[in-house]
PDB file of all heavy atoms in Angstrom:
ATOM      1  N   GLU A1286     188.940-117.913 -22.767  1.00  0.00           N
ATOM      2  CA  GLU A1286     189.508-117.123 -21.663  1.00  0.00           C
ATOM      3  C   GLU A1286     191.001-116.867 -21.903  1.00  0.00           C
ATOM      4  O   GLU A1286     191.652-117.705 -22.535  1.00  0.00           O
ATOM      5  CB  GLU A1286     189.255-117.730 -20.315  1.00  0.00           C
ATOM      6  CG  GLU A1286     187.828-117.986 -19.976  1.00  0.00           C
ATOM      7  CD  GLU A1286     187.702-118.763 -18.696  1.00  0.00           C
ATOM      8  OE1 GLU A1286     187.727-118.147 -17.611  1.00  0.00           O
ATOM      9  OE2 GLU A1286     187.571-120.001 -18.776  1.00  0.00           O
ATOM     10  N   ASP A1287     191.502-115.807 -21.317  1.00  0.00           N
ATOM     11  CA  ASP A1287     192.927-115.551 -21.320  1.00  0.00           C
ATOM     12  C   ASP A1287     193.613-116.535 -20.342  1.00  0.00           C
ATOM     13  O   ASP A1287     194.662-117.080 -20.653  1.00  0.00           O
ATOM     14  CB  ASP A1287     193.186-114.061 -20.958  1.00  0.00           C
ATOM     15  CG  ASP A1287     194.610-113.682 -21.283  1.00  0.00           C
ATOM     16  OD1 ASP A1287     195.201-114.285 -22.206  1.00  0.00           O
ATOM     17  OD2 ASP A1287     195.115-112.749 -20.561  1.00  0.00           O
ATOM     18  N   ALA A1288     193.095-116.621 -19.169  1.00  0.00           N
ATOM     19  CA  ALA A1288     193.531-117.601 -18.166  1.00  0.00           C
ATOM     20  C   ALA A1288     192.264-118.259 -17.632  1.00  0.00           C
ATOM     21  O   ALA A1288     191.377-117.609 -17.122  1.00  0.00           O
ATOM     22  CB  ALA A1288     194.324-116.963 -16.999  1.00  0.00           C
ATOM     23  N   ALA A1289     192.145-119.550 -17.790  1.00  0.00           N
ATOM     24  CA  ALA A1289     190.893-120.301 -17.565  1.00  0.00           C
ATOM     25  C   ALA A1289     190.474-120.152 -16.104  1.00  0.00           C
ATOM     26  O   ALA A1289     191.193-120.505 -15.168  1.00  0.00           O
ATOM     27  CB  ALA A1289     191.045-121.755 -17.926  1.00  0.00           C
ATOM     28  N   GLU A1290     189.318-119.486 -15.909  1.00  0.00           N
ATOM     29  CA  GLU A1290     188.726-119.271 -14.528  1.00  0.00           C
ATOM     30  C   GLU A1290     187.361-119.852 -14.415  1.00  0.00           C
ATOM     31  O   GLU A1290     186.982-120.242 -13.304  1.00  0.00           O
ATOM     32  CB  GLU A1290     188.707-117.792 -14.248  1.00  0.00           C
ATOM     33  CG  GLU A1290     190.050-117.087 -14.316  1.00  0.00           C
ATOM     34  CD  GLU A1290     189.845-115.584 -14.189  1.00  0.00           C
ATOM     35  OE1 GLU A1290     189.538-115.109 -13.081  1.00  0.00           O
ATOM     36  OE2 GLU A1290     190.001-114.874 -15.174  1.00  0.00           O
ATOM     37  N   LEU A1291     186.575-119.809 -15.447  1.00  0.00           N
ATOM     38  CA  LEU A1291     185.190-120.229 -15.361  1.00  0.00           C
ATOM     39  C   LEU A1291     185.048-121.719 -15.007  1.00  0.00           C
ATOM     40  O   LEU A1291     185.878-122.519 -15.434  1.00  0.00           O
ATOM     41  CB  LEU A1291     184.495-120.004 -16.698  1.00  0.00           C
ATOM     42  CG  LEU A1291     184.364-118.497 -17.125  1.00  0.00           C
ATOM     43  CD1 LEU A1291     183.796-118.433 -18.565  1.00  0.00           C
ATOM     44  CD2 LEU A1291     183.471-117.756 -16.164  1.00  0.00           C
ATOM     45  N   ARG A1292     184.041-122.018 -14.162  1.00  0.00           N
ATOM     46  CA  ARG A1292     183.796-123.377 -13.741  1.00  0.00           C
ATOM     47  C   ARG A1292     182.338-123.673 -14.001  1.00  0.00           C
ATOM     48  O   ARG A1292     181.484-123.420 -13.146  1.00  0.00           O
ATOM     49  CB  ARG A1292     184.185-123.606 -12.304  1.00  0.00           C
ATOM     50  CG  ARG A1292     185.684-123.508 -12.061  1.00  0.00           C
ATOM     51  CD  ARG A1292     186.025-123.694 -10.596  1.00  0.00           C
ATOM     52  NE  ARG A1292     185.645-122.591  -9.783  1.00  0.00           N
ATOM     53  CZ  ARG A1292     185.755-122.610  -8.435  1.00  0.00           C
ATOM     54  NH1 ARG A1292     186.246-123.640  -7.800  1.00  0.00           N
ATOM     55  NH2 ARG A1292     185.387-121.543  -7.758  1.00  0.00           N
ATOM     56  N   LEU A1293     182.037-124.221 -15.142  1.00  0.00           N
ATOM     57  CA  LEU A1293     180.725-124.527 -15.526  1.00  0.00           C
ATOM     58  C   LEU A1293     180.328-125.913 -15.072  1.00  0.00           C
ATOM     59  O   LEU A1293     181.169-126.802 -15.042  1.00  0.00           O
ATOM     60  CB  LEU A1293     180.508-124.423 -17.060  1.00  0.00           C
ATOM     61  CG  LEU A1293     180.231-122.979 -17.568  1.00  0.00           C
ATOM     62  CD1 LEU A1293     181.393-122.065 -17.317  1.00  0.00           C
ATOM     63  CD2 LEU A1293     179.894-122.992 -19.057  1.00  0.00           C
ATOM     64  N   VAL A1294     179.054-126.115 -14.709  1.00  0.00           N
ATOM     65  CA  VAL A1294     178.586-127.379 -14.200  1.00  0.00           C
ATOM     66  C   VAL A1294     177.938-128.284 -15.266  1.00  0.00           C
ATOM     67  O   VAL A1294     177.651-129.391 -14.996  1.00  0.00           O
ATOM     68  CB  VAL A1294     177.558-127.093 -13.063  1.00  0.00           C
ATOM     69  CG1 VAL A1294     178.236-126.425 -11.944  1.00  0.00           C
ATOM     70  CG2 VAL A1294     176.341-126.296 -13.544  1.00  0.00           C
ATOM     71  N   GLN A1295     177.720-127.723 -16.478  1.00  0.00           N
ATOM     72  CA  GLN A1295     177.093-128.517 -17.542  1.00  0.00           C
ATOM     73  C   GLN A1295     178.011-129.627 -17.991  1.00  0.00           C
ATOM     74  O   GLN A1295     179.282-129.458 -17.944  1.00  0.00           O
ATOM     75  CB  GLN A1295     176.647-127.594 -18.715  1.00  0.00           C
ATOM     76  CG  GLN A1295     175.498-126.699 -18.385  1.00  0.00           C
ATOM     77  CD  GLN A1295     175.925-125.423 -17.677  1.00  0.00           C
ATOM     78  OE1 GLN A1295     177.086-125.285 -17.280  1.00  0.00           O
ATOM     79  NE2 GLN A1295     175.044-124.491 -17.506  1.00  0.00           N
ATOM     80  N   PRO A1296     177.498-130.690 -18.560  1.00  0.00           N
ATOM     81  CA  PRO A1296     178.378-131.760 -19.012  1.00  0.00           C
ATOM     82  C   PRO A1296     179.064-131.513 -20.328  1.00  0.00           C
ATOM     83  O   PRO A1296     180.086-132.126 -20.679  1.00  0.00           O
ATOM     84  CB  PRO A1296     177.405-132.964 -19.116  1.00  0.00           C
ATOM     85  CG  PRO A1296     176.079-132.353 -19.362  1.00  0.00           C
ATOM     86  CD  PRO A1296     176.081-131.037 -18.678  1.00  0.00           C
ATOM     87  N   HIS A1297     178.456-130.661 -21.208  1.00  0.00           N
ATOM     88  CA  HIS A1297     178.970-130.500 -22.584  1.00  0.00           C
ATOM     89  C   HIS A1297     179.680-129.129 -22.714  1.00  0.00           C
ATOM     90  O   HIS A1297     179.050-128.134 -23.225  1.00  0.00           O
ATOM     91  CB  HIS A1297     177.829-130.611 -23.619  1.00  0.00           C
ATOM     92  CG  HIS A1297     178.298-130.857 -24.981  1.00  0.00           C
ATOM     93  ND1 HIS A1297     177.470-131.298 -25.994  1.00  0.00           N
ATOM     94  CD2 HIS A1297     179.497-130.836 -25.518  1.00  0.00           C
ATOM     95  CE1 HIS A1297     178.179-131.481 -27.116  1.00  0.00           C
ATOM     96  NE2 HIS A1297     179.417-131.177 -26.832  1.00  0.00           N
ATOM     97  N   VAL A1298     180.861-129.013 -22.194  1.00  0.00           N
ATOM     98  CA  VAL A1298     181.610-127.772 -22.177  1.00  0.00           C
ATOM     99  C   VAL A1298     182.985-127.963 -22.812  1.00  0.00           C
ATOM    100  O   VAL A1298     183.680-128.916 -22.466  1.00  0.00           O
ATOM    101  CB  VAL A1298     181.792-127.206 -20.747  1.00  0.00           C
ATOM    102  CG1 VAL A1298     182.595-125.932 -20.765  1.00  0.00           C
ATOM    103  CG2 VAL A1298     180.421-127.029 -20.088  1.00  0.00           C
ATOM    104  N   ILE A1299     183.356-127.085 -23.778  1.00  0.00           N
ATOM    105  CA  ILE A1299     184.684-127.081 -24.311  1.00  0.00           C
ATOM    106  C   ILE A1299     185.390-125.823 -23.844  1.00  0.00           C
ATOM    107  O   ILE A1299     184.943-124.723 -24.065  1.00  0.00           O
ATOM    108  CB  ILE A1299     184.664-127.086 -25.895  1.00  0.00           C
ATOM    109  CG1 ILE A1299     184.034-128.423 -26.360  1.00  0.00           C
ATOM    110  CG2 ILE A1299     186.104-126.913 -26.450  1.00  0.00           C
ATOM    111  CD1 ILE A1299     182.572-128.360 -26.552  1.00  0.00           C
ATOM    112  N   ARG A1300     186.521-125.986 -23.166  1.00  0.00           N
ATOM    113  CA  ARG A1300     187.239-124.842 -22.589  1.00  0.00           C
ATOM    114  C   ARG A1300     188.507-124.556 -23.432  1.00  0.00           C
ATOM    115  O   ARG A1300     189.341-125.385 -23.649  1.00  0.00           O
ATOM    116  CB  ARG A1300     187.654-125.176 -21.171  1.00  0.00           C
ATOM    117  CG  ARG A1300     186.510-125.565 -20.281  1.00  0.00           C
ATOM    118  CD  ARG A1300     186.993-125.956 -18.862  1.00  0.00           C
ATOM    119  NE  ARG A1300     187.398-124.810 -18.155  1.00  0.00           N
ATOM    120  CZ  ARG A1300     188.306-124.878 -17.109  1.00  0.00           C
ATOM    121  NH1 ARG A1300     188.822-125.992 -16.777  1.00  0.00           N
ATOM    122  NH2 ARG A1300     188.639-123.762 -16.494  1.00  0.00           N
ATOM    123  N   LEU A1301     188.534-123.295 -23.927  1.00  0.00           N
ATOM    124  CA  LEU A1301     189.694-122.811 -24.692  1.00  0.00           C
ATOM    125  C   LEU A1301     190.422-121.746 -23.912  1.00  0.00           C
ATOM    126  O   LEU A1301     189.825-120.913 -23.273  1.00  0.00           O
ATOM    127  CB  LEU A1301     189.250-122.271 -26.058  1.00  0.00           C
ATOM    128  CG  LEU A1301     188.374-123.195 -26.914  1.00  0.00           C
ATOM    129  CD1 LEU A1301     188.025-122.544 -28.217  1.00  0.00           C
ATOM    130  CD2 LEU A1301     189.068-124.523 -27.183  1.00  0.00           C
ATOM    131  N   GLU A1302     191.749-121.765 -24.009  1.00  0.00           N
ATOM    132  CA  GLU A1302     192.565-120.769 -23.283  1.00  0.00           C
ATOM    133  C   GLU A1302     193.616-120.211 -24.199  1.00  0.00           C
ATOM    134  O   GLU A1302     194.261-120.929 -24.980  1.00  0.00           O
ATOM    135  CB  GLU A1302     193.248-121.454 -22.122  1.00  0.00           C
ATOM    136  CG  GLU A1302     194.041-120.494 -21.247  1.00  0.00           C
ATOM    137  CD  GLU A1302     194.688-121.213 -20.026  1.00  0.00           C
ATOM    138  OE1 GLU A1302     195.358-122.229 -20.200  1.00  0.00           O
ATOM    139  OE2 GLU A1302     194.507-120.713 -18.892  1.00  0.00           O
ATOM    140  N   ALA A1303     193.753-118.898 -24.173  1.00  0.00           N
ATOM    141  CA  ALA A1303     194.749-118.237 -25.021  1.00  0.00           C
ATOM    142  C   ALA A1303     196.189-118.593 -24.647  1.00  0.00           C
ATOM    143  O   ALA A1303     196.408-119.065 -23.537  1.00  0.00           O
ATOM    144  CB  ALA A1303     194.590-116.714 -24.924  1.00  0.00           C
ATOM    145  N   ARG A1304     197.053-118.431 -25.604  1.00  0.00           N
ATOM    146  CA  ARG A1304     198.521-118.826 -25.302  1.00  0.00           C
ATOM    147  C   ARG A1304     199.437-117.651 -25.590  1.00  0.00           C
ATOM    148  O   ARG A1304     199.330-116.997 -26.617  1.00  0.00           O
ATOM    149  CB  ARG A1304     198.882-119.961 -26.239  1.00  0.00           C
ATOM    150  CG  ARG A1304     200.285-120.538 -25.921  1.00  0.00           C
ATOM    151  CD  ARG A1304     200.575-121.728 -26.786  1.00  0.00           C
ATOM    152  NE  ARG A1304     200.833-121.351 -28.216  1.00  0.00           N
ATOM    153  CZ  ARG A1304     201.028-122.187 -29.207  1.00  0.00           C
ATOM    154  NH1 ARG A1304     201.007-123.504 -28.947  1.00  0.00           N
ATOM    155  NH2 ARG A1304     201.257-121.732 -30.413  1.00  0.00           N
ATOM    156  N   PRO A1305     200.336-117.361 -24.619  1.00  0.00           N
ATOM    157  CA  PRO A1305     201.259-116.259 -24.839  1.00  0.00           C
ATOM    158  C   PRO A1305     202.377-116.674 -25.826  1.00  0.00           C
ATOM    159  O   PRO A1305     202.563-117.853 -26.141  1.00  0.00           O
ATOM    160  CB  PRO A1305     201.808-115.988 -23.462  1.00  0.00           C
ATOM    161  CG  PRO A1305     201.726-117.329 -22.779  1.00  0.00           C
ATOM    162  CD  PRO A1305     200.549-118.015 -23.310  1.00  0.00           C
ATOM    163  N   PRO A1306     203.161-115.714 -26.294  1.00  0.00           N
ATOM    164  CA  PRO A1306     204.303-116.065 -27.186  1.00  0.00           C
ATOM    165  C   PRO A1306     205.352-116.873 -26.451  1.00  0.00           C
ATOM    166  O   PRO A1306     205.529-116.791 -25.236  1.00  0.00           O
ATOM    167  CB  PRO A1306     204.825-114.721 -27.671  1.00  0.00           C
ATOM    168  CG  PRO A1306     204.374-113.761 -26.614  1.00  0.00           C
ATOM    169  CD  PRO A1306     203.092-114.278 -26.125  1.00  0.00           C
ATOM    170  N   ASN A1307     206.141-117.672 -27.209  1.00  0.00           N
ATOM    171  CA  ASN A1307     207.231-118.423 -26.618  1.00  0.00           C
ATOM    172  C   ASN A1307     208.427-117.528 -26.455  1.00  0.00           C
ATOM    173  O   ASN A1307     208.380-116.320 -26.661  1.00  0.00           O
ATOM    174  CB  ASN A1307     207.569-119.677 -27.495  1.00  0.00           C
ATOM    175  CG  ASN A1307     208.000-119.271 -28.874  1.00  0.00           C
ATOM    176  OD1 ASN A1307     208.403-118.121 -29.169  1.00  0.00           O
ATOM    177  ND2 ASN A1307     207.930-120.197 -29.849  1.00  0.00           N
ATOM    178  N   ILE A1308     209.535-118.131 -26.077  1.00  0.00           N
ATOM    179  CA  ILE A1308     210.762-117.341 -25.705  1.00  0.00           C
ATOM    180  C   ILE A1308     211.300-116.622 -26.941  1.00  0.00           C
ATOM    181  O   ILE A1308     212.016-115.630 -26.819  1.00  0.00           O
ATOM    182  CB  ILE A1308     211.815-118.271 -25.131  1.00  0.00           C
ATOM    183  CG1 ILE A1308     212.893-117.441 -24.401  1.00  0.00           C
ATOM    184  CG2 ILE A1308     212.429-119.165 -26.162  1.00  0.00           C
ATOM    185  CD1 ILE A1308     213.823-118.267 -23.559  1.00  0.00           C
ATOM    186  N   GLU A1309     210.948-117.057 -28.143  1.00  0.00           N
ATOM    187  CA  GLU A1309     211.362-116.390 -29.343  1.00  0.00           C
ATOM    188  C   GLU A1309     210.345-115.373 -29.838  1.00  0.00           C
ATOM    189  O   GLU A1309     210.538-114.719 -30.868  1.00  0.00           O
ATOM    190  CB  GLU A1309     211.563-117.475 -30.491  1.00  0.00           C
ATOM    191  CG  GLU A1309     212.665-118.465 -30.161  1.00  0.00           C
ATOM    192  CD  GLU A1309     212.733-119.534 -31.230  1.00  0.00           C
ATOM    193  OE1 GLU A1309     211.847-119.556 -32.087  1.00  0.00           O
ATOM    194  OE2 GLU A1309     213.688-120.300 -31.203  1.00  0.00           O
ATOM    195  N   GLY A1310     209.284-115.173 -29.054  1.00  0.00           N
ATOM    196  CA  GLY A1310     208.275-114.188 -29.406  1.00  0.00           C
ATOM    197  C   GLY A1310     207.282-114.669 -30.457  1.00  0.00           C
ATOM    198  O   GLY A1310     206.572-113.909 -31.025  1.00  0.00           O
ATOM    199  N   ARG A1311     207.230-115.980 -30.617  1.00  0.00           N
ATOM    200  CA  ARG A1311     206.333-116.550 -31.647  1.00  0.00           C
ATOM    201  C   ARG A1311     205.302-117.502 -30.957  1.00  0.00           C
ATOM    202  O   ARG A1311     205.469-117.857 -29.782  1.00  0.00           O
ATOM    203  CB  ARG A1311     207.099-117.351 -32.659  1.00  0.00           C
ATOM    204  CG  ARG A1311     208.109-116.506 -33.431  1.00  0.00           C
ATOM    205  CD  ARG A1311     208.949-117.356 -34.379  1.00  0.00           C
ATOM    206  NE  ARG A1311     209.925-116.550 -35.080  1.00  0.00           N
ATOM    207  CZ  ARG A1311     210.874-117.117 -35.894  1.00  0.00           C
ATOM    208  NH1 ARG A1311     210.875-118.424 -36.103  1.00  0.00           N
ATOM    209  NH2 ARG A1311     211.781-116.350 -36.448  1.00  0.00           N
ATOM    210  N   GLY A1312     204.275-117.877 -31.735  1.00  0.00           N
ATOM    211  CA  GLY A1312     203.385-118.903 -31.287  1.00  0.00           C
ATOM    212  C   GLY A1312     202.215-118.380 -30.432  1.00  0.00           C
ATOM    213  O   GLY A1312     201.487-119.171 -29.882  1.00  0.00           O
ATOM    214  N   ALA A1313     202.053-117.066 -30.324  1.00  0.00           N
ATOM    215  CA  ALA A1313     200.967-116.540 -29.477  1.00  0.00           C
ATOM    216  C   ALA A1313     199.603-116.825 -30.182  1.00  0.00           C
ATOM    217  O   ALA A1313     199.457-116.683 -31.397  1.00  0.00           O
ATOM    218  CB  ALA A1313     201.146-115.009 -29.323  1.00  0.00           C
ATOM    219  N   ILE A1314     198.634-117.240 -29.369  1.00  0.00           N
ATOM    220  CA  ILE A1314     197.257-117.431 -29.813  1.00  0.00           C
ATOM    221  C   ILE A1314     196.387-116.511 -28.987  1.00  0.00           C
ATOM    222  O   ILE A1314     196.244-116.724 -27.791  1.00  0.00           O
ATOM    223  CB  ILE A1314     196.784-118.896 -29.645  1.00  0.00           C
ATOM    224  CG1 ILE A1314     197.734-119.878 -30.331  1.00  0.00           C
ATOM    225  CG2 ILE A1314     195.359-119.035 -30.166  1.00  0.00           C
ATOM    226  CD1 ILE A1314     197.797-119.719 -31.819  1.00  0.00           C
ATOM    227  N   ALA A1315     195.821-115.486 -29.667  1.00  0.00           N
ATOM    228  CA  ALA A1315     195.013-114.478 -28.917  1.00  0.00           C
ATOM    229  C   ALA A1315     193.579-114.940 -28.810  1.00  0.00           C
ATOM    230  O   ALA A1315     193.106-115.853 -29.476  1.00  0.00           O
ATOM    231  CB  ALA A1315     195.069-113.142 -29.692  1.00  0.00           C
ATOM    232  N   ILE A1316     192.888-114.232 -27.901  1.00  0.00           N
ATOM    233  CA  ILE A1316     191.449-114.576 -27.690  1.00  0.00           C
ATOM    234  C   ILE A1316     190.721-114.399 -28.989  1.00  0.00           C
ATOM    235  O   ILE A1316     189.759-115.170 -29.281  1.00  0.00           O
ATOM    236  CB  ILE A1316     190.910-113.675 -26.576  1.00  0.00           C
ATOM    237  CG1 ILE A1316     191.441-114.105 -25.217  1.00  0.00           C
ATOM    238  CG2 ILE A1316     189.377-113.701 -26.541  1.00  0.00           C
ATOM    239  CD1 ILE A1316     190.849-113.328 -24.091  1.00  0.00           C
ATOM    240  N   ARG A1317     191.084-113.435 -29.784  1.00  0.00           N
ATOM    241  CA  ARG A1317     190.356-113.187 -31.060  1.00  0.00           C
ATOM    242  C   ARG A1317     190.461-114.391 -31.979  1.00  0.00           C
ATOM    243  O   ARG A1317     189.503-114.757 -32.666  1.00  0.00           O
ATOM    244  CB  ARG A1317     190.960-111.954 -31.754  1.00  0.00           C
ATOM    245  CG  ARG A1317     190.181-111.521 -32.963  1.00  0.00           C
ATOM    246  CD  ARG A1317     190.657-110.225 -33.557  1.00  0.00           C
ATOM    247  NE  ARG A1317     189.779-109.837 -34.651  1.00  0.00           N
ATOM    248  CZ  ARG A1317     190.005-108.817 -35.501  1.00  0.00           C
ATOM    249  NH1 ARG A1317     191.074-108.049 -35.263  1.00  0.00           N
ATOM    250  NH2 ARG A1317     189.183-108.548 -36.427  1.00  0.00           N
ATOM    251  N   ASP A1318     191.649-115.031 -32.013  1.00  0.00           N
ATOM    252  CA  ASP A1318     191.803-116.219 -32.836  1.00  0.00           C
ATOM    253  C   ASP A1318     190.862-117.334 -32.342  1.00  0.00           C
ATOM    254  O   ASP A1318     190.293-118.116 -33.138  1.00  0.00           O
ATOM    255  CB  ASP A1318     193.262-116.677 -32.806  1.00  0.00           C
ATOM    256  CG  ASP A1318     194.208-115.608 -33.305  1.00  0.00           C
ATOM    257  OD1 ASP A1318     193.835-114.928 -34.288  1.00  0.00           O
ATOM    258  OD2 ASP A1318     195.292-115.443 -32.701  1.00  0.00           O
ATOM    259  N   LEU A1319     190.766-117.487 -30.991  1.00  0.00           N
ATOM    260  CA  LEU A1319     189.934-118.537 -30.440  1.00  0.00           C
ATOM    261  C   LEU A1319     188.441-118.276 -30.664  1.00  0.00           C
ATOM    262  O   LEU A1319     187.675-119.229 -30.850  1.00  0.00           O
ATOM    263  CB  LEU A1319     190.213-118.687 -28.960  1.00  0.00           C
ATOM    264  CG  LEU A1319     191.647-119.078 -28.542  1.00  0.00           C
ATOM    265  CD1 LEU A1319     191.783-119.164 -27.040  1.00  0.00           C
ATOM    266  CD2 LEU A1319     191.981-120.423 -29.180  1.00  0.00           C
ATOM    267  N   VAL A1320     188.039-116.986 -30.671  1.00  0.00           N
ATOM    268  CA  VAL A1320     186.664-116.699 -30.968  1.00  0.00           C
ATOM    269  C   VAL A1320     186.272-117.140 -32.376  1.00  0.00           C
ATOM    270  O   VAL A1320     185.240-117.727 -32.582  1.00  0.00           O
ATOM    271  CB  VAL A1320     186.326-115.208 -30.720  1.00  0.00           C
ATOM    272  CG1 VAL A1320     184.957-114.835 -31.225  1.00  0.00           C
ATOM    273  CG2 VAL A1320     186.472-114.845 -29.240  1.00  0.00           C
TER     274      VAL A1320
END
Side-chain angles (χ1 to χ4, degrees):
E1286 301 174 83
D1287 194 28
E1290 303 172 71
L1291 296 173
R1292 291 181 289 177
L1293 276 64
V1294 296
Q1295 291 82 353
H1297 198 167
V1298 178
I1299 296 91
R1300 305 176 70 204
L1301 305 180
E1302 184 178 50
R1304 186 178 73 184
N1307 60 20
I1308 196 168
E1309 297 175 351
R1311 301 176 182 176
I1314 305 295
I1316 288 182
R1317 187 175 185 186
D1318 302 320
L1319 296 179
V1320 172

